[in-house]
Amino acid sequence: MGLESSAWRVVNRHRALVFILISLVALVGASALGTATSGAKKRGKTKVSLTIVTKNQAALLKQNSLVVKVRTNRRTRVRLSAARGNHFRFFRTKTVKFGRKASRGVGLRLTTLGRKKLKACGTQKIRVRGKYRRGSRKAKTFRTKKLARKASLCKKVTPPDPPLPDPSTKVGCDPVDPAACIAPFPNDYFTKADPDTDTGIRLDLEPDLVPKNTDGKSAFSDAYNRNDGFSPNSLIVTKVSGLDTPAEFRANGIVSQLNIGSYADPDQRVVLIDTTNNQRVPIWAELDMVPGTPNPHDGNSVQGTAADRTLLIHPAQSLDYGRRYVVALRNLTVGGNPVAPSEVFGYLRDDEATANQQVEERRTQMADVFAATTAAGIDRSTLSNAWEFTVASERNLTERAVTMRDDAYEQLGDNNLKDGIVQGNSPDITITNSFDYPTCIDQNTACTGSQRRYGYRRVRGTITVPCYMNAPGADYNPDAVAAEIPCSSGSRLNYDPGTDLPTQKTDSNGSPVTWEAPFTCVIPRSAENAPGPPPTGLKALIFGHGLLGSNTGTEDLAKYPAGLGQVSCGTDWIGLSSSDLTQHLLKMINVLFGGSDLSLFAALPDRTQQGYVNTLYLARALAHEDGLAGFAEFQDVGGNPFFSVDQNSPGDDLGYYGVSLGGINGGASTALAPDWTRAALAVPGIGFSTLLTRSTQFNRFLPTVYKAYPNPIERSIGMALIQTLWDRGEPSAYSKSILNGGLGTPPHQMVLHESFGDHQVVNTQTETLARTIGSTIKAPILTPGRINDLSPIADPAGKYLFTEAADVDPYWNIPVAQSNQFNQPGGLPDVNSTMVVTDTGPVRSGGVGEPPILGTMANPDWNIAPVSGVGADFNDGYDPHQPGATSPALQQVLVPFETGQGFIDSCGNGAPDIYVQQPFPVPTTSPNPVPCPAPAVDYIRNGK
């Protein structure tokens, strides 16, 4: 005590001298300012004073807390802590918020350790510290008091305290979960305070702590620490020892994807709490079934064992921006026996002190976690694990794309995108070639080669777009060829030093760098097989292609009757286009070399955001009267444009139609779009990290990734980690503003399409998108009895996770809209979004000229992708992704909607059957259309 007190007096003397010097400098500075500041309004400084009210040791022990009176002269927030000597672990800290000038008594509760130490015989000298802000600077105030001893404590000899437990921990890792360094994840333990962000925190990941591949290369990227929170659609990853089989999963009654409504059951054992309102959040959970399961996409190889399986928790709808959430696992059992907490979590939960400083520091953070679980009605003693994480703010998630978009449109002379008026100039356009399609012979003969039944002309060219990537230049040099190409695949957003906002790249001469974004447009015929061009006055459409496709995919619209309705144009969805496969994606996953390097991942969502700008510029080229409509290739022989867009309301004449990746990116780009107000998204989704392992599109890549990152929990964390960046390259960042125009656009309307049992975009993620944007769903949803495919009858081996057929409700909390509410011209009836489900029917043998297998089962509730077209096992059948999205029946719902003819229910009162439904004439102008005979050839049916 003597040495501590002496040291403290020396510190205080030096502090006083420093204070006097600072005060003199401040006085001289103020005098020097003279009359320059005499006329300015003087702003008072915040003042806080403290008084220790507790009189003596006896009162302290009786109240079990130290009472401090706090006075303040204005609105502020004061963080109070108390110490004996240098020991701050004896009292709990508390933050008190004052709304105005006030005086309030505050109790600082004794910890278990503090009560033991302060119960000792002798006078107790207590020091209280209050931290607050004085103007723009942080400030502290102190008060010290000696509490007279309680004499009765000195009448007996107190035996020495037993030694405190000292559990083993690793510096930098969260001690509550020893399964992996950054487990559980996401986790605010891996953040730091940052008053300049909207959430008040910033990610603080270190390269050595994140997963490494078998070559020892960390998956870390500096892009992560630009985030002020975690993904609103993050995988939530933890390890529960012994919870590793579907039988144990079912025995615990854990909420699964097929009974999401059970998240609210009073005794639900896996819970996510929104600390803003102490309410539970809709989730579903699963086991990572990859370890210990034969992988049908890698020669039935088996990696790891069932004991390596982790618990994965998914939001059933996007979490709210900037909010703090607490994950709570309680009353879990294995073999009927309670799951024990980890050693450290047990000490924290039971308020048992330790000798480990890292654990004691974690105790302070966990106080808020336990407060949240208690407020949500969860008994603290039932917890086997709990932790908190904060979702990134909307500004942090969207500001890069919004900044790029606004700058790009300002360069055109349009500074007000919310008014929905085309202003300023058109982007610069170069037409590179034009080609008139030959007609087919007749309706019963398939088109060959370059023939198109519904397309009259193909036009290709480029749009000049500002480049916001760091290529070309020294910052980007993966190879000698691509390094000199503007916006090259694999390049990153271009930031000015010390900022989080991208800026247009400049070359060595200081000139702004631009990129020529390629496009393909298709002008329709006047009627199927008609030799001449269409009439003038058509509407226009932006088309979004599928995964690893390109702008040339727009030509596919010329295969369908719906292609007759409008002039359609598309550009590359860079980031995941065909040009990215060899230039970046294969380098990242290293399929050719048997490795994987996820540290390269950040380039994918960065380049996708550049792709948003490219697509919006193409839309402006369609919308602007001096854009594409001014070129001869888009005009009849009299110089009249084939299409026309109202300059004062472009959304009336311009729509968006995206398929697969084009549906996913279409959700994000629609939130940013000023020129189209209606979008139709076929087989879209949200939350790529959940979609990946369930998609047949990624089967060729995942085995390599699994081998490069063999630790199952680290691999799952790696998947969750990349979602933090991927948000900006898919709808997760933008979902709450897609319909309401919250990102500076006019409001939008949207139709979503789900293909039941989809093998590429899993239904759960389409439904998550629907819930997030508040979509309805068109009824009837599925053929009666079809939902029974989800029941345990289809799972005699018991290898899937769901429980009872009565629990099955994959469309939970998506309001149903009956068919008679539709067929209204002009838009959707009283809603801003609805979803349509198509179904290819149960698994069965194909007929003459059809694939050997038709139909599909529902998506199995595990994270291994189906094996398309190889049999009739539970997760087999024919992939309904493409035939569902490209069927004439489905297009007869989507295309009339996005071209302003209203929502036409092409299937009457039934669910769309893509195998037998005949398309309607295009364009559809009647609210009650009559089916017409379908062409026998050319359009894709059954995937052909």
Side-chain angles (χ1 to χ4, degrees), residues 704-936:
T704 303
V705 175
Y706 293 159
K707 289 180 175 67
Y709 297 88
N711 183 302
I713 188 167
E714 289 191 353
R715 187 174 61 235
S716 294
I717 289 171
M719 291 286 192
L721 191 62
I722 64 174
Q723 185 63 50
T724 304
L725 302 181
W726 214 335
D727 286 344
R728 299 178 177 87
E730 55 126 299
S732 289
Y734 316 93
S735 58
K736 302 296 178 70
S737 296
I738 290 176
L739 301 181
N740 64 17
L743 297 180
T745 71
H748 299 97
Q749 287 189 321
M750 183 171 288
V751 172
L752 309 177
H753 161 242
E754 173 182 289
S755 194
F756 184 72
D758 198 319
H759 293 186
Q760 297 181 43
V761 178
V762 64
N763 291 165
T764 60
Q765 300 316 108
T766 307
E767 292 148 19
T768 298
L769 176 61
R771 291 188 197 95
T772 300
I773 67 175
S775 178
T776 63
I777 187 169
K778 189 193 79 66
I781 302 172
L782 294 169
T783 304
R786 188 74 167 100
I787 203 71
N788 291 340
D789 287 345
L790 300 173
S791 73
I793 297 172
D795 183 25
K799 67 180 181 179
Y800 301 102
L801 305 179
F802 50 69
T803 53
E804 300 297 334
D807 294 329
V808 170
D809 184 8
Y811 304 106
W812 175 85
N813 205 35
I814 305 176
V816 174
Q818 299 298 323
S819 292
N820 58 14
Q821 294 180 247
F822 299 108
N823 293 336
Q824 302 297 321
L828 294 173
D830 302 323
V831 295
N832 288 322
S833 177
T834 197
M835 182 165 74
V836 178
V837 180
T838 59
D839 183 14
T840 60
V843 175
R844 62 198 183 279
S845 298
V848 177
E850 294 179 326
I853 297 173
L854 298 178
T856 189
M857 303 296 285
N859 290 143
D861 61 341
W862 66 343
N863 62 331
I864 298 177
V867 185
S868 298
V870 299
D873 193 8
F874 186 83
N875 66 331
D876 290 340
Y878 196 91
D879 183 3
H881 180 82
Q882 182 175 349
T886 57
S887 70
L890 189 275
Q891 290 184 352
Q892 291 296 324
V893 177
L894 301 185
V895 175
F897 161 73
E898 61 206 356
T899 53
Q901 300 173 64
F903 185 95
I904 306 300
D905 179 8
S906 67
C907 305
N909 290 320
D913 183 337
I914 67 164
Y915 291 113
V916 300
Q917 179 65 43
Q918 308 300 310
F920 298 110
V922 177
T924 302
T925 57
S926 168
N928 297 297
V930 177
C932 66

Side-chain angles (χ1 to χ4, degrees), residues 194 196 202 222 226 399 494-503:
D194 187 341
D196 294 330
R202 184 182 290 269
D222 60 358
R226 292 182 182 272
E399 64 183 352
N494 183 58
Y495 296 103
D496 284 338
T499 71
D500 288 327
L501 297 178
T503 58

Side-chain angles (χ1 to χ4, degrees), residues 273-285:
I273 303 165
D274 183 343
T275 63
T276 304
N277 51 28
N278 297 322
Q279 298 297 308
R280 295 194 204 174
V281 176
I283 56 170
W284 57 275

